[in-house]
Amino acid sequence: MGKTTGRVTLPGESNFLEESKDLLKRWGADAIRDSDGTKLDEGIKSLDAKIYTTYFVARGHNEFAQQHMEECQQIYLMSPYTLADKEEITIAFAAEYFDQQVTPDYDHDPKEWWEVIDRTTQEVVDVKDWDINTKDHTLTIHHAKKFHEYTVSFLAYILWDPTQMYNHITNDWGDKPHEIPFDVRKPFSRAYVVQYLKDWLADEENKRCDVVRFTTFFYHFTLIFNKLAKEKFVDWCGYGASVSTEAILAFEKAYGYRLRPEVFVDNGYYNSTFCVPTKEYLEYIDFQQRFVAETAKELVQLVHDAGKEAMMFLGDNWIGTEPYGKYFPEIGLDAVVGSVGGGATLRLISDIPGVKYHEGRFLPYFFPDTFYEGNDPTIEAIDNWLSARRAIMRKPIDRIGYGGYPSLAYKFPKFVDYIEKVCDEFREIYDRVHGQTPYCGLKVAILNSWGALRSWHAYMVAHGLYCKQIYSYNGMLESLSGASVDVVFLSFDEVLEHGIPEDIDVIINAGDAHTAFSGGDVWKNEKLISMMREWIYNGGGFVGIGEPAAVENGGRFFQLADALGVDKELGFTLHTDKYFHTPLASHFITEDVVEELDFGEGMRNIYALNEDTEIISYSNGEVHLGAHTYGKGRGVYIAGLPYSTQNTRVLLRSLYYAAHKEEEFKKWYADNLYCEVHAYPDNNMYAILNNTNQEQKTNVYDGEGNHVAVTLAPGEIRWMVINDGK
Amino acid sequence: MGKTTGRVTLPGESNFLEESKDLLKRWGADAIRDSDGTKLDEGIKSLDAKIYTTYFVARGHNEFAQQHMEECQQIYLMSPYTLADKEEITIAFAAEYFDQQVTPDYDHDPKEWWEVIDRTTQEVVDVKDWDINTKDHTLTIHHAKKFHEYTVSFLAYILWDPTQMYNHITNDWGDKPHEIPFDVRKPFSRAYVVQYLKDWLADEENKRCDVVRFTTFFYHFTLIFNKLAKEKFVDWCGYGASVSTEAILAFEKAYGYRLRPEVFVDNGYYNSTFCVPTKEYLEYIDFQQRFVAETAKELVQLVHDAGKEAMMFLGDNWIGTEPYGKYFPEIGLDAVVGSVGGGATLRLISDIPGVKYHEGRFLPYFFPDTFYEGNDPTIEAIDNWLSARRAIMRKPIDRIGYGGYPSLAYKFPKFVDYIEKVCDEFREIYDRVHGQTPYCGLKVAILNSWGALRSWHAYMVAHGLYCKQIYSYNGMLESLSGASVDVVFLSFDEVLEHGIPEDIDVIINAGDAHTAFSGGDVWKNEKLISMMREWIYNGGGFVGIGEPAAVENGGRFFQLADALGVDKELGFTLHTDKYFHTPLASHFITEDVVEELDFGEGMRNIYALNEDTEIISYSNGEVHLGAHTYGKGRGVYIAGLPYSTQNTRVLLRSLYYAAHKEEEFKKWYADNLYCEVHAYPDNNMYAILNNTNQEQKTNVYDGEGNHVAVTLAPGEIRWMVINDGK
């Protein structure tokens, strides 16, 4: 394949002109970006490439913000639990927080805007029964019930943008000013951001900018630090920092009711994505999404009017944009860019509707933590590329790019070579795959409380970090991101309103009991449960992972136990004999397994209900993998599914088995589980991927089920013609 | 020590006279018993020993029962869950049951006495909407809601006593009649059992009987077999087989409401001891206890009138006697006998109030499964004796005994020698310990839904069998059974009514969330939770095992998380940083630990809440053992506590630590954890026990904390004088 160019973005660096030219040429890059705090020099700007300029909307304008501290962003915070060891107790409500980040808002009457809650009874304490000392940020309750626990939900101002704060503290920026986030819902801020952007666009300095890279819009995801300036809580999807008295009053006008502080504080859960969302919270975030879309649209329009493109960074102040929400397309953005940690995060970007192009920032960043003498950054790059490539085969992003200091990367020639190969391979894939509908053997729906809104970022806490309670579910998303199945995300509300879409072959419900991902009490809804049963019974496939459809009701814990053939023993039926312990000698689902099965955290106390439950994996008195026929349909139970190549195959086989499509399985298929096949029938071609960095031999099956043996080089992607005219 | 006699019961066997005389002499036995199906011959009866005769009240009288099949015992059973795949569905409600054991009762109008339940909504189906076909035991629902699941709760007759049935099937008794259990609440049965006992007592044949061993009274614990005659469910504490239309009507008269079938079927949980009992069930079992006590009292009186003793076997048809219940002493029994599997089951017998003496049946039974060539039955005997001996030191039973065929045991001279030693040792212990109050360093209360009623048999499913979900809690009971602490069992209801008794040092709550042993929703009761907090805060000790005080409320799962210093992550606070992961280098609680800590099943996702939580054991992101100061009191958290010598020490130290009595710990104490010290200050003596069958060296601490080094032979018990007059 010949040298190709385009679709690649380089980070810019001052005093690095000649080397940048070399990299531009070798990687075929056609765009250069600046980053937070770095400016591009004239030399770089003169290169033949689009220029991306980072733009901060609601922070980094302290000259304005300091004059309007009353327009700081706000958040509801909860005090520590405080035990009433006597009737009059004093709560140091702000004591756990970092006073350089947040400060209590006494401007708005605490008696109107705050809540003191008896957490033992969940009753709100009468405002007459407490007083505040604003000097030391304490609150005294006068008639506390002894040995109840109390919390204060207080409204605070946010004095420091948490991303800038994190960078500031991590990099020891010393006197550099703390960037104050201001709220565009408030009048001066709103006027300011519009005027500033107008001025900026008109500024000669920015003429060379082709793409305004919004980093991002108005509200940062929830990220609060403790009194020692260490992270206290973080929720990549959290709307906590979008609140304000203005927002609450506007909401009241629109919806006819006042949002209580508890709607935001939520028992100290702060509406974690893992909590089944309340009606109030769903209405609030919808309300904020509309506001964010309208306001962002105005800014994007200004960018377009200036003849530039508008790109949004998917992170930081992205709250309310909701790329998978109803209002996102209205914003009118040209592009979204985000960080790619693997297949699921790639799909998180590439599946976003309503923009012209999607760009992925690949790993590793060119930072000294990876690019140091003795380390080989190529290893991380290979891993990142091979895991993302699977997902690109299904739904490509339109551009790739890198971040950090190119001068660092340039010191690692092997790395530069590898990225050159990646860039060429990406462009080749893109040219063949873009706009094509890849062969999908099945259509799979992931059913949870959030549905499409959390497409590919269900189970996400801090963006992409490992979490013990998550990885056994997140693996399912990562596996699916590059699998030859069509994936949609459905919410319980959608299914209850519109039914199960006709074209779905398999529904997955995966999560810990009572979380938003399993669903909790919604499984007591007789309409949902009978709809699900009917759908499976009539031929649908259901795959449950962890504690699917779990709520104790009617003598069952898994409300779809009858379909799955397994339930979880909670202790109430210990006296009932569990007869079925013997795994089958072999099963369709585990036919490709070569390593020991890995269920991650797994799940305790799962047992087979029926003789006809197909026990596939069993040990220590527990079923880990099972299947069961239910009418014309099937249920498959998996105790957990951390990401691995083998588990990708186990999941894919589970889906085909659940859908009763075992006979379709060996189409566009490689029997070596380290390889995958992606076919593009409209384009008359298919690709065989080696997803490892070792040579692999595999049989490859075409769309009719005929196979040939092939040997693939490490990481190879081999393109083949489906029908060569014979 | 010289040869002693008495307090030992031999099983009798025909044609074994001389050897029996030898055993009587060597073991110092003073009583001989028959057993189910075996009669003693005249030779045996002529020996100088009390004779125990097994007596069946409500089974083994088929000549009567067959004439009064309408007085068979009854039970409510639940059909399989049946999916309504159409509006008219037919449920084969009895299909899963063994028709030789149970048969549907059509004599009492099913429309009055049965229930059909929509398990999806928990609604009762209108009786107009279903019909029964009595020929094939099916029930048809006419207007079922599609894709709901239905069950039938039907009243059945029990045709075969389950213990006799089990023995019959296991021993292949062929044509031997099935013993039909009849219900003494019904008129003919009531009259019959009284008259039969009168006749029996008057019978010359039974003149030689000294002790009538009731096996047992009226109602068998729940034990139901499936269609293949295999155990289907078993609950050693279950009242299922005590029900009858007569009982329900009498209850209605007394309490003013009708007990629904669902009160008994209970979602198919059948009121497992692990379910938090409902008000209705508690009232029902109280009602039945009164009936059983009154009726049994009448029989016992007849026995006494005949100049004999009345002994109750703690098992089989023991339901309603409730030795720890309110009415048991009224029965007027002389004795209770039960099987001893270890310390907890010994205490289950020896702690029973209201009888003159307690007898324990020790293991192994002299059956061929243990007494076969090549096996050494002494091994099991040593294990059984050493585990029971600890408990005897705290609260001795009054007699020991054995079961099975002595002719088998006689073939194992080493075994006969060992039992001779056991019998002598038992008598020596008894003489020194009986009536004494042993030194107790602490008073410990085990708090759960059942309280004293399930003393020493909390967590019991089938009597004494291993169960994966139990052993991590049952170990706590086994450890305590021989520990130098005073143990009481408290129910939530008692504590709510009367408060926490003043003399309690430590409260233990141990169990899986939502079971009767953890407590479930009761922890939302503000009175309970604030009482517990106040009590701990003012100096009490709280030890939580597994999921103590667990119910999700007010942002906490463990409602005493503030006292324990740990909580369980359910997923809702994954975004909150958990800072504390570092176990202390050493801690009072683990000072004696010599092996790897063993938490059994353990508990997932437990994390430390506070900096001042003392993390004692931590791995894989989870706290397994921790402690925390709370006011003047302390909480200790243990993830699980399977029985072992080491865990006994870990628990004992946890109790002392929770009680802030570390300085009292080394009194009457052995620092080698395989040894224990029991002191009897009133008797001026103490005993040092080697609880293993190996030699042990230990320092032994007296009541002032002074210690001396001693070496103990395998299994040795060494008696010492506390104050020799110096």
Side-chain angles (χ1 to χ4, degrees):
Chain A
M1 101 197 145
K3 187 70 197 166
T4 55
T5 58
R7 306 208 167 278
V8 174
T9 303
L10 262 193
E13 186 174 352
S14 293
N15 304 315
F16 194 63
L17 185 61
E18 290 311 310
E19 299 91 335
S20 291
K21 282 183 188 168
D22 185 42
L23 283 178
L24 272 182
K25 190 173 161 201
R26 289 184 60 187
W27 294 359
D30 59 352
I32 297 176
R33 71 180 192 95
D34 65 3
S35 58
D36 189 359
T38 64
K39 291 255 175 198
L40 302 183
D41 63 21
E42 290 306 314
I44 295 289
K45 283 189 187 174
S46 70
L47 293 172
D48 180 20
K50 277 170 113 173
I51 299 292
Y52 294 5
T53 310
T54 298
Y55 186 92
F56 296 101
V57 176
R59 67 148 160 135
H61 301 274
N62 279 11
E63 70 291 351
F64 163 78
Q66 280 162 343
Q67 288 169 29
H68 294 280
M69 291 303 284
E70 78 287 358
E71 294 202 352
C72 272
Q73 292 190 11
Q74 300 199 281
I75 189 164
Y76 270 111
L77 297 172
M78 191 176 89
S79 75
Y81 288 80
T82 305
L83 182 71
D85 56 348
K86 49 193 183 308
E87 283 192 6
E88 181 162 304
I89 56 161
T90 295
I91 302 178
F93 55 84
E96 290 187 344
Y97 297 96
F98 185 45
D99 59 6
Q100 295 184 46
Q101 190 196 12
V102 291
T103 194
D105 166 10
Y106 300 120
D107 300 332
H108 300 92
D109 182 7
K111 298 266 175 172
E112 178 177 359
W113 293 99
W114 299 18
E115 255 177 6
V116 179
I117 295 187
D118 177 344
R119 288 289 173 198
T120 302
T121 61
Q122 294 287 69
E123 290 163 347
V124 178
V125 176
D126 194 312
V127 293
K128 291 197 294 290
D129 284 337
W130 52 266
D131 292 305
I132 293 174
N133 181 337
T134 60
K135 290 215 183 78
D136 62 0
H137 305 316
T138 60
L139 182 149
T140 300
I141 305 174
H142 300 297
H143 305 290
K145 292 184 186 167
K146 278 184 76 179
F147 293 96
H148 287 216
E149 291 185 299
Y150 290 84
T151 63
V152 177
S153 305
F154 65 102
L155 193 57
Y157 287 119
I158 301 172
L159 304 175
W160 198 352
D161 176 87
T163 290
Q164 201 246 355
M165 176 179 162
Y166 177 81
N167 293 335
H168 195 291
I169 291 170
T170 306
N171 298 316
D172 209 6
W173 284 349
D175 289 341
K176 193 167 176 178
H178 299 180
E179 295 189 2
I180 303 164
F182 45 94
D183 188 347
V184 297
R185 192 181 276 281
K186 308 194 187 187
F188 292 104
S189 299
R190 175 64 176 261
Y192 177 81
V193 302
V194 171
Q195 191 56 49
Y196 189 90
L197 180 57
K198 283 181 184 168
D199 294 347
W200 189 91
L201 290 166
D203 189 340
E204 194 60 29
E205 171 87 1
N206 299 314
K207 280 284 180 259
R208 180 66 183 86
C209 162
D210 301 291
V211 180
V212 179
R213 183 181 179 275
F214 284 105
T215 305
T216 315
F217 288 108
F218 314 125
Y219 302 115
H220 203 286
F221 62 83
T222 309
L223 176 52
I224 293 294
F225 293 77
N226 74 5
K227 61 183 172 187
L228 304 171
K230 286 185 178 159
E231 182 186 288
K232 183 169 167 64
F233 54 86
V234 54
D235 185 354
W236 199 71
C237 303
Y239 276 68
S242 73
V243 80
S244 60
T245 55
E246 287 81 353
I248 289 174
L249 292 172
F251 180 95
E252 186 175 4
K253 210 166 161 186
Y255 288 79
Y257 70 97
R258 175 75 72 95
L259 295 164
R260 285 178 49 198
E262 183 63 7
V263 170
F264 301 94
V265 163
D266 181 28
N267 289 295
Y269 302 156
Y270 297 102
N271 303 289
S272 156
T273 313
F274 286 76
C275 295
V276 174
T278 61
K279 174 183 158 289
E280 291 80 3
Y281 186 64
L282 286 175
E283 290 184 347
Y284 172 74
I285 68 173
D286 191 78
F287 171 76
Q288 284 295 50
Q289 285 167 45
R290 275 182 282 142
F291 171 75
V292 165
E294 283 161 20
T295 313
K297 180 181 178 176
E298 195 176 336
L299 303 187
V300 167
Q301 189 59 51
L302 291 175
V303 171
H304 287 169
D305 292 347
K308 302 182 195 300
E309 288 185 337
M311 172 182 276
M312 173 183 124
F313 170 60
L314 185 62
D316 294 3
N317 306 64
W318 75 291
I319 290 302
T321 61
E322 293 296 0
Y324 293 93
K326 282 180 282 187
Y327 312 108
F328 181 74
E330 294 171 16
I331 300 177
L333 285 159
D334 299 282
V336 171
V337 61
S339 178
V340 174
T345 47
L346 186 126
R347 293 293 293 270
L348 170 58
I349 300 164
S350 68
D351 275 19
I352 291 175
V355 290
K356 296 195 192 80
Y357 63 97
H358 310 82
E359 182 163 326
R361 190 72 61 246
F362 278 60
L363 300 181
Y365 275 77
F366 310 158
F367 284 147
D369 57 351
T370 306
F371 289 81
Y372 59 87
E373 207 177 302
N375 192 41
D376 180 2
T378 320
I379 295 168
E380 188 180 347
I382 292 173
D383 185 57
N384 186 244
W385 174 244
L386 292 183
S387 62
R389 189 178 66 176
R390 296 178 62 232
I392 292 173
M393 300 305 289
R394 309 308 305 168
K395 185 77 166 69
I397 46 175
D398 303 277
R399 303 181 55 84
I400 64 177
Y402 293 88
Y405 302 101
S407 61
L408 269 180
Y410 207 68
K411 291 179 189 154
F412 292 77
K414 184 177 157 199
F415 177 80
V416 172
D417 287 348
Y418 183 72
I419 301 303
E420 180 174 349
K421 181 179 162 305
V422 164
C423 292
D424 286 333
E425 190 168 291
F426 169 69
R427 283 184 288 261
E428 187 185 18
I429 294 170
Y430 188 81
D431 287 346
R432 292 170 187 262
V433 163
H434 172 62
Q436 293 295 316
T437 304
Y439 169 79
C440 288
L442 295 171
K443 186 158 187 178
V444 177
I446 295 166
L447 178 66
N448 59 42
S449 300
W450 291 107
L453 201 71
R454 295 286 162 260
S455 296
W456 302 109
H457 60 302
Y459 315 109
M460 197 176 274
V461 180
H463 192 287
L465 291 187
Y466 166 85
C467 175
K468 176 177 164 68
Q469 288 88 355
I470 289 174
Y471 76 95
S472 309
Y473 299 119
N474 214 23
M476 176 268 289
L477 291 183
E478 186 64 23
S479 290
L480 287 179
S481 69
S484 55
V485 296
D486 198 5
V487 180
V488 295
F489 293 81
L490 287 178
S491 72
F492 299 117
D493 287 344
E494 275 171 272
V495 164
L496 280 165
E497 194 171 342
H498 304 297
I500 297 163
E502 287 224 340
D503 56 352
I504 302 294
D505 294 294
V506 182
I507 292 175
I508 298 175
N509 178 250
D512 281 347
H514 302 294
T515 64
F517 301 110
S518 176
D521 282 343
V522 76
W523 291 107
K524 288 185 181 170
N525 182 315
E526 60 177 299
K527 185 174 168 188
L528 176 69
I529 188 70
S530 44
M531 182 193 303
M532 286 293 294
R533 286 192 188 128
E534 180 166 16
W535 181 82
I536 304 168
Y537 198 80
N538 288 331
F542 179 69
V543 174
I545 304 177
E547 294 178 307
V551 66
E552 201 260 322
N553 185 46
R556 297 200 185 277
F557 186 51
F558 295 168
Q559 292 301 308
L560 289 171
D562 48 342
L564 292 166
V566 300
D567 203 349
K568 181 172 179 174
E569 173 62 61
L570 299 180
F572 309 138
T573 60
L574 284 176
H575 50 43
T576 302
D577 286 82
K578 314 294 192 297
Y579 301 117
F580 314 112
H581 315 117
T582 311
L584 298 167
S586 66
H587 194 281
F588 173 79
I589 290 175
T590 47
E591 256 172 42
D592 295 336
V593 161
V594 293
E595 305 156 12
E596 201 179 340
L597 285 164
D598 177 10
F599 301 100
E601 293 295 296
M603 191 50 63
R604 297 267 178 84
N605 301 325
I606 305 297
Y607 66 98
L609 282 168
N610 307 306
E611 199 170 10
D612 58 359
T613 300
E614 299 156 28
I615 300 175
I616 306 169
S617 171
Y618 186 98
S619 68
N620 192 27
E622 292 158 343
V623 175
H624 313 299
L625 179 59
H628 184 244
T629 296
Y630 186 66
K632 286 186 257 174
R634 276 189 185 139
V636 173
Y637 177 78
I638 309 174
L641 202 86
Y643 179 64
S644 70
T645 304
Q646 177 165 290
N647 274 348
T648 298
R649 191 58 62 91
V650 166
L651 177 61
L652 200 65
R653 283 182 167 273
S654 296
L655 297 170
Y656 271 82
Y657 192 73
H660 267 292
K661 288 196 175 176
E662 303 97 292
E663 289 176 11
E664 303 287 304
F665 185 65
K666 291 195 176 176
K667 289 184 177 171
W668 305 123
Y669 162 81
D671 59 5
N672 176 336
L673 58 80
Y674 300 110
C675 301
E676 281 177 319
V677 178
H678 301 275
Y680 306 88
D682 295 343
N683 218 12
N684 200 34
M685 55 176 55
Y686 66 100
I688 314 165
L689 273 67
N690 176 354
N691 289 330
T692 71
N693 204 33
Q694 290 84 42
E695 183 183 279
Q696 297 290 347
K697 293 176 196 300
T698 184
N699 287 309
V700 171
Y701 292 72
D702 67 15
E704 330 262 74
N706 305 311
H707 68 272
V708 290
V710 301
T711 301
L712 297 170
E716 183 179 353
I717 174 166
R718 185 177 302 174
W719 290 96
M720 307 286 287
V721 173
I722 293 179
N723 185 331
D724 55 8
K726 279 184 296 196
Chain B
M1 103 196 141
K3 187 72 197 166
T4 55
T5 57
R7 307 209 167 277
V8 173
T9 303
L10 264 192
E13 185 174 353
S14 293
N15 304 315
F16 193 64
L17 185 61
E18 290 311 312
E19 299 91 333
S20 293
K21 282 183 188 168
D22 184 41
L23 284 177
L24 273 182
K25 190 171 160 204
R26 290 186 58 188
W27 294 359
D30 60 352
I32 296 176
R33 70 179 192 95
D34 65 3
S35 57
D36 188 0
T38 64
K39 293 255 176 199
L40 303 182
D41 64 20
E42 289 307 314
I44 295 289
K45 284 189 187 173
S46 70
L47 293 172
D48 179 24
K50 277 170 111 173
I51 298 292
Y52 294 4
T53 311
T54 298
Y55 186 92
F56 297 101
V57 176
R59 66 147 160 136
H61 303 274
N62 278 13
E63 70 292 349
F64 163 79
Q66 280 162 344
Q67 288 168 29
H68 296 280
M69 291 303 284
E70 78 287 359
E71 293 200 353
C72 273
Q73 292 189 12
Q74 299 199 283
I75 188 164
Y76 270 111
L77 297 172
M78 191 175 87
S79 75
Y81 288 80
T82 305
L83 181 71
D85 56 349
K86 50 192 182 308
E87 282 193 6
E88 182 162 304
I89 56 161
T90 295
I91 302 178
F93 55 84
E96 290 186 344
Y97 296 96
F98 185 46
D99 59 6
Q100 295 184 47
Q101 189 196 14
V102 292
T103 193
D105 166 10
Y106 300 121
D107 299 335
H108 300 91
D109 182 6
K111 298 265 176 171
E112 179 178 359
W113 294 99
W114 299 20
E115 254 177 7
V116 179
I117 294 186
D118 177 343
R119 288 289 174 197
T120 302
T121 61
Q122 294 288 68
E123 290 163 346
V124 178
V125 177
D126 193 314
V127 292
K128 291 197 294 289
D129 283 337
W130 52 267
D131 292 306
I132 292 173
N133 181 337
T134 59
K135 291 212 183 80
D136 62 0
H137 305 316
T138 59
L139 182 148
T140 299
I141 305 174
H142 299 298
H143 305 290
K145 290 184 186 165
K146 279 183 77 178
F147 293 96
H148 287 215
E149 291 186 299
Y150 290 84
T151 63
V152 177
S153 305
F154 65 102
L155 193 58
Y157 288 117
I158 301 173
L159 304 174
W160 196 353
D161 176 88
T163 290
Q164 201 245 356
M165 175 178 163
Y166 176 81
N167 292 336
H168 195 292
I169 291 171
T170 307
N171 299 316
D172 209 7
W173 283 348
D175 289 342
K176 192 167 175 177
H178 300 180
E179 295 188 0
I180 303 164
F182 45 95
D183 187 347
V184 297
R185 191 181 276 281
K186 308 194 186 188
F188 292 105
S189 298
R190 174 64 176 260
Y192 178 81
V193 300
V194 171
Q195 190 56 48
Y196 189 90
L197 180 58
K198 283 182 182 168
D199 295 347
W200 189 91
L201 292 166
D203 189 340
E204 195 59 32
E205 169 86 3
N206 301 314
K207 279 286 179 257
R208 180 65 183 88
C209 162
D210 300 291
V211 179
V212 178
R213 182 182 179 276
F214 284 105
T215 307
T216 316
F217 289 106
F218 314 125
Y219 301 116
H220 203 284
F221 61 83
T222 309
L223 176 52
I224 293 294
F225 293 78
N226 75 5
K227 61 183 173 188
L228 304 171
K230 286 186 178 158
E231 183 186 288
K232 183 169 168 63
F233 54 87
V234 55
D235 184 354
W236 199 72
C237 302
Y239 276 68
S242 73
V243 79
S244 61
T245 54
E246 286 82 352
I248 289 173
L249 293 172
F251 180 95
E252 185 174 4
K253 210 166 161 186
Y255 288 79
Y257 70 96
R258 175 76 73 94
L259 295 164
R260 283 179 51 198
E262 183 63 6
V263 170
F264 302 94
V265 163
D266 181 28
N267 287 296
Y269 303 156
Y270 297 102
N271 304 290
S272 156
T273 312
F274 286 76
C275 295
V276 174
T278 61
K279 174 183 159 289
E280 292 80 2
Y281 186 65
L282 286 175
E283 289 185 348
Y284 172 74
I285 69 174
D286 190 79
F287 170 77
Q288 285 294 50
Q289 285 167 46
R290 275 182 282 143
F291 171 76
V292 165
E294 283 161 19
T295 313
K297 180 181 181 178
E298 194 176 337
L299 303 186
V300 167
Q301 189 58 52
L302 292 174
V303 171
H304 288 168
D305 292 347
K308 302 183 194 303
E309 289 184 338
M311 171 182 276
M312 173 183 125
F313 170 60
L314 184 61
D316 295 5
N317 306 63
W318 75 292
I319 291 302
T321 62
E322 292 297 0
Y324 293 93
K326 283 180 281 189
Y327 312 107
F328 181 75
E330 294 170 15
I331 301 175
L333 285 159
D334 299 282
V336 171
V337 60
S339 178
V340 174
T345 48
L346 187 125
R347 292 293 293 270
L348 169 58
I349 300 165
S350 68
D351 275 19
I352 291 175
V355 292
K356 297 194 191 81
Y357 63 96
H358 310 83
E359 182 163 327
R361 190 73 60 246
F362 278 61
L363 301 181
Y365 276 76
F366 310 157
F367 284 146
D369 57 352
T370 306
F371 289 81
Y372 59 87
E373 208 177 303
N375 191 41
D376 180 3
T378 320
I379 294 168
E380 188 180 346
I382 292 173
D383 185 58
N384 186 245
W385 174 243
L386 292 183
S387 62
R389 188 178 67 176
R390 297 179 62 232
I392 291 174
M393 300 303 291
R394 310 308 306 169
K395 185 77 167 70
I397 46 175
D398 303 276
R399 303 181 55 83
I400 64 176
Y402 293 88
Y405 303 101
S407 60
L408 269 181
Y410 208 68
K411 292 178 188 156
F412 291 77
K414 184 177 157 200
F415 177 80
V416 172
D417 287 348
Y418 183 73
I419 300 303
E420 181 175 348
K421 181 180 163 305
V422 165
C423 292
D424 286 334
E425 190 168 290
F426 169 69
R427 283 183 289 263
E428 187 186 19
I429 294 171
Y430 188 81
D431 287 346
R432 293 171 186 262
V433 163
H434 171 63
Q436 293 295 317
T437 303
Y439 169 79
C440 288
L442 295 172
K443 186 157 186 178
V444 178
I446 295 166
L447 178 65
N448 59 42
S449 300
W450 291 106
L453 200 70
R454 294 285 163 261
S455 296
W456 302 110
H457 59 304
Y459 316 108
M460 196 176 275
V461 179
H463 193 286
L465 291 188
Y466 167 85
C467 174
K468 175 179 165 67
Q469 288 88 355
I470 288 173
Y471 76 96
S472 309
Y473 299 118
N474 213 23
M476 177 267 290
L477 292 182
E478 186 65 23
S479 291
L480 287 178
S481 70
S484 56
V485 296
D486 198 5
V487 180
V488 294
F489 293 81
L490 286 179
S491 72
F492 299 117
D493 288 344
E494 277 170 272
V495 164
L496 280 165
E497 195 172 343
H498 304 296
I500 298 163
E502 287 225 339
D503 57 351
I504 301 296
D505 295 294
V506 183
I507 292 175
I508 298 175
N509 177 249
D512 282 345
H514 301 293
T515 64
F517 301 111
S518 175
D521 282 342
V522 77
W523 291 107
K524 287 186 183 171
N525 183 316
E526 61 176 300
K527 186 175 169 187
L528 175 69
I529 188 70
S530 44
M531 182 194 302
M532 286 293 295
R533 285 191 189 130
E534 179 165 17
W535 181 81
I536 304 167
Y537 198 80
N538 288 331
F542 179 69
V543 174
I545 304 178
E547 293 178 308
V551 66
E552 199 261 323
N553 185 46
R556 298 201 185 276
F557 186 51
F558 294 169
Q559 292 301 308
L560 289 171
D562 49 340
L564 292 166
V566 299
D567 203 349
K568 181 172 179 176
E569 173 62 61
L570 300 180
F572 309 139
T573 60
L574 284 177
H575 51 42
T576 301
D577 286 82
K578 314 295 192 297
Y579 300 118
F580 314 112
H581 315 116
T582 311
L584 299 167
S586 66
H587 194 279
F588 173 80
I589 291 176
T590 46
E591 255 173 42
D592 295 337
V593 162
V594 293
E595 305 156 12
E596 200 180 341
L597 285 164
D598 177 10
F599 301 100
E601 293 295 296
M603 190 51 63
R604 297 265 179 85
N605 301 325
I606 305 297
Y607 66 96
L609 282 169
N610 307 307
E611 200 169 10
D612 59 358
T613 300
E614 299 156 29
I615 300 175
I616 305 169
S617 171
Y618 185 97
S619 67
N620 192 26
E622 293 159 344
V623 175
H624 313 300
L625 179 59
H628 184 243
T629 296
Y630 186 66
K632 286 187 260 175
R634 277 191 185 138
V636 173
Y637 177 79
I638 309 174
L641 201 87
Y643 179 65
S644 70
T645 304
Q646 177 166 290
N647 274 348
T648 298
R649 191 58 61 92
V650 166
L651 177 60
L652 200 64
R653 283 182 168 271
S654 296
L655 297 170
Y656 271 82
Y657 192 73
H660 266 292
K661 288 196 175 177
E662 302 98 291
E663 288 175 12
E664 303 287 303
F665 184 64
K666 290 194 176 177
K667 290 185 178 172
W668 305 122
Y669 163 82
D671 60 3
N672 176 335
L673 58 80
Y674 300 110
C675 301
E676 280 176 320
V677 178
H678 301 275
Y680 308 87
D682 295 344
N683 218 11
N684 200 33
M685 54 176 54
Y686 66 100
I688 313 165
L689 273 67
N690 176 354
N691 288 330
T692 71
N693 205 33
Q694 290 84 44
E695 183 183 279
Q696 297 290 349
K697 293 177 197 301
T698 185
N699 287 309
V700 171
Y701 292 73
D702 67 15
E704 328 262 75
N706 306 311
H707 68 271
V708 290
V710 302
T711 300
L712 298 170
E716 184 179 351
I717 174 167
R718 185 177 301 175
W719 290 97
M720 309 285 288
V721 173
I722 293 180
N723 186 332
D724 56 7
K726 280 186 293 195

